[in-house]
Amino acid sequence: MTGDRAEMLRAWHDHLTKDRRRSPHTVRAYGDAAARLLDYVQMRDWAAVGRVDAQATRGYLAARRSEGLGNVSAARELSAVKAFISFARTRAGLTDTAPPRLRGPRIKKGLPRPLTPDDAVNVADAVEQSAATVWIGLRDRAVLLLMYGAGLRIAEALSLKASNIPLADRLVVTGKGGKQRVVPILPVVRDAVSEYVTSCPWPLPANEPLFRGAKGGPLSQGMVQKAMAAARQWLGLPDTATPHALRHSFATHLLGAGADLRSLQELLGHASLASTQIYTKVDAATLLTSYRAAHPREKEVDENQ
């Protein structure tokens, strides 16, 4: 199937907005990356773009890096380009629609282990994009957003029953030791779960697990970890970017935004405040890293060493 540049980008935009229901920010970023790739390879039909391999993709990224693209931006660019090539292969009717096997640049993550807010959202988007089917992608995205948006443990997210649907703005969660707590549910999390429920091909009786595996049984932690590992590779994130890191990210970002420790303790379901206090060290470490990267005097000292 052939078409000009504008038609290809329009089809890509429609796929992201209508089929994948991506955010406007993601649609814009992925659209820009696709346009740059088309200009680089000078191709104007789906089959040709679908044949773009790892070597050609590596050359494109090298060209982008020569323009001053940093590791984080390069990893995101690679994720977008892979998604576009996979889409092109689907449009061309190719049997193998998997994107080129190419690992993104390593992004150094000091202590602590949480992801940045952008990376947390990008991971949720990446698991959706890289899934074998639409409903599984929506399922995995919903699980990860529950962990990041509500601070749930992976076991807590997977223990939810279909009776919890539709989600309200608050959710009662049973954590370790049978201790219950109330967590707020953001609209984006609620919408993600609703989209999964609508697309799920399996019956969801009220007293049964909400999240289902590909064959209809309860979704296992291993499958969520596998999806996260694939997204991590797409984005070039370190091995510390695990599902549980999303819960750490939830806590760290709340603390950085001014949440007090007692409130954070309740949201996380920690029995002891000492367990929550680790996030003060996490936030301080992040602040110190940012200070050292930005302060002129620190830069001068580093250059003279």
Side-chain angles (χ1 to χ4, degrees):
M1 182 176 180
T2 62
D4 62 24
R5 180 180 185 275
E7 289 175 349
M8 295 176 77
L9 292 176
R10 189 177 304 113
W12 178 229
H13 179 278
D14 290 346
H15 171 69
L16 292 171
T17 54
K18 297 176 182 178
D19 299 335
R20 292 297 185 177
R21 298 174 183 172
R22 295 302 189 90
S23 69
H25 172 76
T26 299
V27 171
R28 182 171 58 254
Y30 275 41
D32 290 345
R36 286 189 290 266
L37 178 67
L38 290 177
D39 292 341
Y40 175 80
V41 298
Q42 289 296 300
M43 294 173 180
R44 296 295 182 266
D45 68 87
W46 294 117
V49 175
R51 288 192 293 271
V52 172
D53 58 12
Q55 183 177 356
T57 306
R58 190 178 293 109
Y60 167 75
L61 282 178
R64 290 285 289 138
R65 293 298 291 266
S66 69
E67 299 171 2
L69 206 66
N71 279 2
V72 174
S73 297
R76 292 172 186 162
E77 186 90 357
L78 177 59
S79 177
V81 166
K82 279 184 171 181
F84 182 61
I85 294 173
S86 180
F87 176 69
R89 291 178 177 180
T90 301
R91 290 293 294 253
L94 301 181
T95 303
D96 183 9
T97 61
R101 288 182 173 274
L102 186 62
R103 192 178 185 88
R106 281 289 184 179
I107 302 172
K108 290 185 178 180
K109 298 281 184 181
L111 285 177
R113 298 179 183 273
L115 286 73
T116 67
D118 281 347
D119 282 342
V121 173
N122 286 339
V123 161
D125 285 343
V127 295
E128 179 188 354
Q129 185 68 47
S130 60
T133 62
V134 172
W135 83 268
I136 287 178
L138 292 173
R139 177 201 69 192
D140 293 344
R141 183 172 187 269
V143 173
L144 295 189
L145 284 180
L146 274 167
M147 299 184 70
Y148 175 58
L152 301 192
R153 300 178 178 92
I154 187 170
E156 292 169 348
L158 297 185
S159 69
L160 295 180
K161 303 293 185 184
S163 56
N164 291 117
I165 300 302
L167 291 181
D169 58 357
R170 295 180 182 181
L171 177 67
V172 178
V173 178
T174 302
K176 290 183 177 181
K179 181 181 178 182
Q180 290 190 324
R181 69 185 189 277
V182 178
V183 297
I185 300 297
L186 299 172
V188 65
V189 177
R190 188 162 55 244
D191 291 345
V193 174
S194 178
E195 288 174 2
Y196 154 68
V197 170
T198 300
S199 67
C200 181
W202 302 103
L204 296 174
N207 62 335
E208 295 292 329
L210 171 61
F211 292 107
R212 299 306 183 91
K215 296 182 179 180
L219 179 62
S220 69
Q221 294 189 23
M223 293 308 297
V224 178
Q225 292 163 345
K226 183 178 179 180
M228 182 80 174
R232 184 171 66 225
Q233 184 172 0
W234 268 52
L235 296 172
L237 296 175
D239 293 341
T240 54
T242 62
H244 195 68
L246 293 172
R247 176 172 152 90
H248 286 311
S249 303
F250 165 84
T252 305
H253 301 161
L254 278 182
L255 187 63
D260 64 88
L261 281 176
R262 286 293 182 186
S263 298
L264 193 57
Q265 179 189 4
E266 290 297 321
L267 290 173
L268 291 171
H270 285 161
S272 168
L273 186 62
S275 299
T276 313
Q277 286 176 326
I278 187 174
Y279 293 106
T280 60
K281 299 177 182 178
V282 165
D283 195 55
T286 303
L287 180 62
L288 184 57
T289 299
S290 299
Y291 168 82
R292 286 176 171 168
H295 197 284
R297 177 57 183 165
E298 285 290 329
K299 287 184 177 180
E300 181 182 331
V301 170
D302 289 342
E303 291 171 358
N304 291 333
Q305 288 180 344

